Amino acid sequence: MRKSHPIRRVVLAGAATVSGIVLLLSLKPSSDPTAEAAGTPPAASAQGGAQAAGTSTVTGDAAQTQYGAVQVRITVSGNRITKAETVKAPSGGQSTQKTELAVPKLNAAVVAQQSADIDSVSGATYTSTGYKQSLQSAIDKANAAAAQQPSEGATQASFSGDTVKTQYGDVQVRITVSGNKITKAEAVKAPSGGQSTQKTELAVPKLNAAVVAQQTADVDSVSGATYTSAGYKKSLQSAIDKANAAAGAAQPSESAGGSAEAASKTLTGEVVETEYGDVQVRITVSNGKITKAEAVKAPSGGQSTQKTELAVPKLNAAAVAAGSAEIDSVSGATYTSTGYKKSLQSALDQAGG
């Protein structure tokens, strides 16, 4: 399996198309239900008839905003969100007016886009932010419920990446893998406090959605949240590595009772000193191919950390793709790239390749 490439094993019969986690604000609580004021229809009663087959209703966690709590409920049918409504929303004074303006637009956007990545309504920023947070938690719950449903021979597992320290706080990513696909990505740790909370709430949902869409750690960083994005991708890559390792270990041998065609082996290259710090590469080789490459040492501190986080995932992916040390250097990280390739070659020499 290739680093930064799709994990090739299952498909989750998910109840929604986007999953992820958003860190909720801990602000002044409120509990005024305003579903009617928001123009949303009342929820269907459990009495008086069963829902259509395969239809479920999921309520997200209440998100606290500066003007009151927001809570969203979605109806899911056939892997699609068919309805979105507010169970709680800010009310009183101008809040009621803003709720009545914003919520119908947000509800419609959810059904149209099938995601929590929708535009905020101008003039109702706090309500929009709380709405999207609660909506995301409802989507997560729908996905979790779907994951527990029997699948057609597919299995799923969750893998938590290593915790990555950034200038503004720790980042840790967990992925859910079913068959050949990453079906869910979420941040179990992310920077918080002050502007960090705002940047986390901006970046993480976009990163989560990008991972599920692209099936790789090579996703675009979110503008304005560079450190969080870099930490996210680094932790994500380690989660993918763990998933790949587990998948490889679970593969049966070619013939019953026989040994595997060729055992995997791990080889660590020599430490290469560069102007900005040591670089050392470790590879996993199976059946004559590099199945995994990773930097066990790389320059860190100041701009070096940023350059390492930029360069190493690309170098790792290139090593697996090329099967050799003849890979392109990463622009802006020339010294790290050179050291990486030298250490990689020494690891290949040990493998006889």
Side-chain angles (χ1 to χ4, degrees):
M1 274 230 176
R2 286 174 141 189
K3 191 166 193 158
S4 292
H5 284 258
I7 297 176
R8 310 181 191 275
R9 289 174 180 72
V10 200
V11 176
L12 172 68
T17 58
V18 173
S19 58
I21 188 170
V22 178
L23 303 179
L24 302 182
L25 295 171
S26 297
L27 299 175
K28 180 180 177 181
S30 176
S31 58
D32 294 327
T34 58
E36 293 182 357
T40 57
S45 172
Q47 305 173 3
Q51 291 179 316
T55 298
S56 61
T57 301
V58 185
T59 303
D61 297 333
Q64 305 300 331
T65 77
Q66 185 171 331
Y67 297 101
V70 181
Q71 190 172 28
V72 178
R73 180 167 55 212
I74 58 174
T75 301
V76 179
S77 180
N79 292 343
R80 291 187 63 79
I81 301 171
T82 58
K83 180 181 178 183
E85 57 189 322
T86 54
V87 180
K88 295 181 181 179
S91 63
Q94 287 190 338
S95 293
T96 298
Q97 185 177 0
K98 290 185 177 182
T99 290
E100 292 172 344
L101 164 72
V103 170
K105 294 180 180 179
L106 294 167
N107 290 338
V110 174
V111 175
Q113 296 184 222
Q114 296 292 303
S115 164
D117 188 16
I118 56 178
D119 291 335
S120 296
V121 175
S122 178
T125 304
Y126 288 99
T127 297
S128 298
T129 299
Y131 183 102
K132 290 188 281 185
Q133 290 170 2
S134 182
L135 169 62
Q136 186 63 64
S137 75
I139 290 174
D140 291 343
K141 291 177 182 180
N143 283 337
Q148 295 175 2
Q149 297 299 314
S151 60
E152 298 179 4
T155 58
Q156 70 164 10
S158 294
F159 300 89
S160 294
D162 297 334
T163 298
V164 177
K165 295 185 180 298
T166 76
Q167 186 172 331
Y168 297 100
D170 293 345
V171 180
Q172 186 179 27
V173 177
R174 180 168 58 212
I175 59 173
T176 301
V177 178
S178 182
N180 289 341
K181 296 180 78 67
I182 300 171
T183 57
K184 180 178 179 182
E186 56 189 322
V188 291
K189 292 183 181 178
S192 62
Q195 288 191 336
S196 293
T197 297
Q198 186 177 359
K199 290 184 177 182
T200 290
E201 292 170 347
L202 164 72
V204 170
K206 293 181 179 179
L207 293 166
N208 291 336
V211 173
V212 175
Q214 298 181 33
Q215 297 292 303
T216 175
D218 188 17
V219 295
D220 291 336
S221 295
V222 176
S223 178
T226 305
Y227 288 98
T228 297
S229 298
Y232 182 104
K233 291 190 282 184
K234 193 170 183 179
S235 181
L236 169 62
Q237 186 62 67
S238 73
I240 291 175
D241 291 344
K242 291 176 183 179
N244 284 339
Q251 291 300 308
S253 59
E254 296 260 335
S255 59
S259 60
E261 181 180 340
S264 295
K265 55 184 176 180
T266 301
L267 304 156
T268 303
E270 297 174 355
V271 175
V272 177
E273 295 181 358
T274 77
E275 186 173 331
Y276 296 100
D278 293 344
V279 179
Q280 187 177 29
V281 177
R282 181 167 59 210
I283 59 173
T284 301
V285 178
S286 180
N287 295 324
K289 289 188 174 183
I290 301 173
T291 57
K292 179 180 176 183
E294 58 188 322
V296 291
K297 290 185 179 179
S300 63
Q303 288 191 337
S304 293
T305 297
Q306 188 174 0
K307 289 184 177 182
T308 290
E309 292 171 346
L310 165 72
V312 168
K314 294 182 180 179
L315 294 167
N316 290 337
V320 174
S324 77
E326 294 181 5
I327 55 179
D328 292 335
S329 295
V330 175
S331 177
T334 306
Y335 288 98
T336 297
S337 298
T338 300
Y340 183 102
K341 290 189 281 186
K342 286 181 180 178
S343 182
L344 171 60
Q345 185 61 62
S346 73
L348 288 168
D349 291 342
Q350 295 173 46

